Amino acid sequence: MRGFNRAIIAGNLTRDPELRYTVNKKAYARFGVAVNSRWKNANGEIQESTEYINIVVWGPMAENCGKYLKKGSPILVEGSIRTSSYDAKDGSGKRYTTEINADNIVFLGSGQGNTGGGSYSAPGQSVSGSAPYMPSDEDFGRSIGESGFSTSGFADGNNGILGNMNESDIPF
């Protein structure tokens, strides 16, 4: 049977992204994301917990994370779960790490201040312009082609971030 490995999380960065480069000059960034959960227990009392998840992202997406994100930034991450091991330096045995290898990151910030804003996806592509497009409050709930949708924030008009894409090109 063929397996399926997909993770989608939303939370806040626990630290600034650490941007580095491999010897082949490929960018990668590592950071943590705190994901909060709430539920009611059997007595009806609200319980809360926080999971701390490590993220690694590669290429131009990593450079954008290093440029636009900082500790506390809200993001959505989609990727695959990876587990690796290494021998402890003190000789006490193997250590295991689990992280999400990100394929897609959406910056959930308001676009105001230093919280990022807009989104970045599609590995291998880079966002042009000074910052990713963030729709205005009036744009939420509207389709891109719908009358009244503001496109003035897109880099290079409608052909910047979206290229020549129209609503029929979106797969959902």
Side-chain angles (χ1 to χ4, degrees), residues 1-77:
M1 180 175 125
R2 187 173 167 167
F4 183 77
N5 181 356
R6 207 83 199 131
I8 301 172
I9 64 166
N12 296 80
L13 267 65
T14 60
R15 61 188 183 274
D16 290 346
E18 182 180 325
L19 180 62
R20 294 188 176 192
Y21 293 86
T22 66
V23 292
N24 297 329
K25 299 182 182 174
K26 184 170 184 176
Y28 69 97
R30 292 184 179 277
F31 51 90
V33 175
V35 179
N36 299 319
S37 300
R38 294 180 78 176
W39 70 93
K40 287 186 181 180
N41 65 14
N43 299 328
E45 299 167 334
I46 295 177
Q47 302 291 308
E48 294 185 15
S49 71
T50 304
E51 294 292 329
Y52 300 94
I53 301 167
N54 291 318
I55 310 295
V56 64
V57 58
W58 294 87
M61 192 171 16
E63 292 175 330
N64 281 324
C65 287
K67 183 175 181 180
Y68 293 111
L69 297 177
K70 67 177 199 168
K71 181 179 178 177
S73 296
I75 64 168
L76 182 136
V77 177

Side-chain angles (χ1 to χ4, degrees), residues 86-95:
Y86 61 94
D87 291 321
K89 289 182 181 179
D90 63 5
S92 60
K94 278 199 179 289
R95 300 282 188 260

Side-chain angles (χ1 to χ4, degrees), residues 75-127:
I75 64 168
L76 182 136
V77 177
E78 180 181 2
S80 57
I81 298 172
R82 302 275 186 227
T83 303
S84 59
S85 64
Y86 61 94
D87 291 321
K89 289 182 181 179
D90 63 5
S92 60
K94 278 199 179 289
R95 300 282 188 260
Y96 295 90
T97 62
T98 302
E99 60 194 9
I100 294 178
N101 189 18
D103 298 329
N104 185 20
I105 294 181
V106 179
F107 302 170
L108 299 176
S110 66
Q112 307 292 325
N114 297 325
T115 58
S119 66
Y120 181 83
S121 61
Q125 295 181 1
S126 62
V127 175

